[in-house]
Amino acid sequence: VGDSHTVFFCGQDFLSYKKLKNGITTACCALKPFKNYHLGACLAFNTMNENASVNTFKKTKFMLENGWLPENSIVLTSFGEIDIRVHLLKRAEKTSLEEEIDNILANYLEYIKMLQRHRLKVIVWAPVASQDDDCPKDELLPSYGSEYERNFATKLFGEKLQKLADEHGFLCCSIFKYLVDENLKTKTEYYVDGYHLGSKALPFMAKEFLDKGIFRVEGDTLKIGY
């Protein structure tokens, strides 16, 4: 559940959606065991904002009330990359990077707690590395700051998110370390358009999920174990 980075979990190398209801879409492809709910270009900062232009809160409430997210389901949330790429560094010029990350995560944490109150098992997908400085500009996918600055912020965001996961009983999964070099330069070979990961990065996800105990192998069968 979340932004366009949810499409990565459908195994497709392009952004393509089918309309569902209430402004929610799903990817045209499917990769077991995932089921994809794309809510739009939504921000972690606005996950609990009932007046946000992309209304994550209302869409999530709709899914909860209509049985799309049954009790005891495992829900993987994907938010934060857009916050970091577009807004975070600009806001941090007036305060500080850590303060702005904490502000985003405080709102995101309330969203996670809401899912937990509905007896959902929450896994949070940490933001992926940002597009590189050579990526062609796209008005529909704006960015602020340099590649290094965004990736430094993404690294810090992920570390703070992991700390919250340890404190509040949800899992945090990140493949950020596989997507950058030692200088925090993005490895563009794992991206399909400069912004979104392609299927080449799926082995990193599988390893992370195995390491965290979400996936487990029993004989020739892959099991879900969170």
Side-chain angles (χ1 to χ4, degrees):
V1 174
D3 57 24
S4 57
H5 293 282
T6 58
V7 177
F8 171 63
F9 295 92
C10 296
Q12 62 189 49
D13 285 327
F14 54 92
L15 296 183
S16 181
Y17 304 103
K18 294 183 292 186
K19 291 182 179 179
L20 296 174
K21 293 181 179 179
N22 205 43
I24 302 166
T25 60
T26 189
C28 289
C29 299
L31 178 67
K32 292 182 178 180
F34 300 102
K35 190 170 186 178
N36 170 267
Y37 293 124
H38 172 237
L39 307 185
C42 34
L43 301 177
F45 182 76
N46 280 334
T47 43
M48 295 297 286
N49 182 356
E50 296 186 56
N51 298 311
S53 56
V54 180
N55 205 311
T56 298
F57 180 79
K58 288 184 178 179
K59 290 177 180 179
T60 303
K61 292 291 283 186
F62 172 85
M63 290 190 291
L64 291 168
E65 291 167 359
N66 287 275
W68 291 24
L69 303 174
E71 282 189 9
N72 299 314
S73 295
I74 300 171
V75 178
L76 176 74
T77 64
S78 174
F79 299 96
E81 186 276 332
I82 302 172
D83 299 73
I84 295 167
R85 171 167 46 87
V86 183
H87 303 287
L88 175 59
L89 293 170
K90 186 182 294 185
R91 289 175 178 163
E93 290 175 350
K94 297 180 180 179
T95 55
S96 71
L97 185 61
E98 290 215 23
E99 182 176 341
E100 291 305 319
I101 290 176
D102 289 343
N103 287 338
I104 294 169
L105 290 177
N107 292 319
Y108 194 8
L109 180 59
E110 290 307 308
Y111 179 79
I112 294 165
K113 287 179 177 179
M114 177 182 71
L115 297 177
Q116 289 178 320
R117 287 194 296 273
H118 282 82
R119 299 183 182 178
L120 296 168
K121 301 174 182 178
V122 180
I123 305 170
V124 173
W125 183 246
V128 301
S130 196
Q131 84 278 19
D132 72 309
D133 286 335
D134 296 325
C135 185
K137 299 298 181 184
D138 186 335
E139 291 182 0
L140 297 177
L141 294 164
S143 62
Y144 189 87
S146 68
E147 174 185 1
Y148 176 84
E149 289 172 326
R150 290 191 301 273
N151 279 337
F152 180 84
T154 303
K155 181 175 182 293
L156 183 57
F157 188 101
E159 291 169 352
K160 286 178 172 287
L161 189 56
Q162 179 61 62
K163 184 177 179 182
L164 289 177
D166 295 338
E167 293 171 353
H168 295 279
F170 61 92
L171 291 182
C172 176
C173 290
S174 174
I175 61 170
F176 175 78
K177 64 184 179 182
Y178 301 114
L179 303 175
V180 294
D181 66 15
E182 64 276 9
N183 298 312
L184 292 183
K185 186 164 181 60
T186 300
K187 297 179 180 179
T188 57
E189 62 266 30
Y190 296 111
Y191 290 71
V192 294
D193 57 6
Y195 299 84
H196 300 93
L197 292 178
S199 57
K200 287 183 179 179
L202 286 172
F204 300 141
M205 178 273 289
K207 183 179 186 311
E208 177 72 355
F209 279 29
L210 283 165
D211 290 346
K212 292 288 176 72
I214 300 163
F215 288 168
R216 68 183 190 278
V217 178
E218 294 183 3
D220 295 328
T221 306
L222 185 67
K223 301 277 190 177
I224 307 298
Y226 170 42

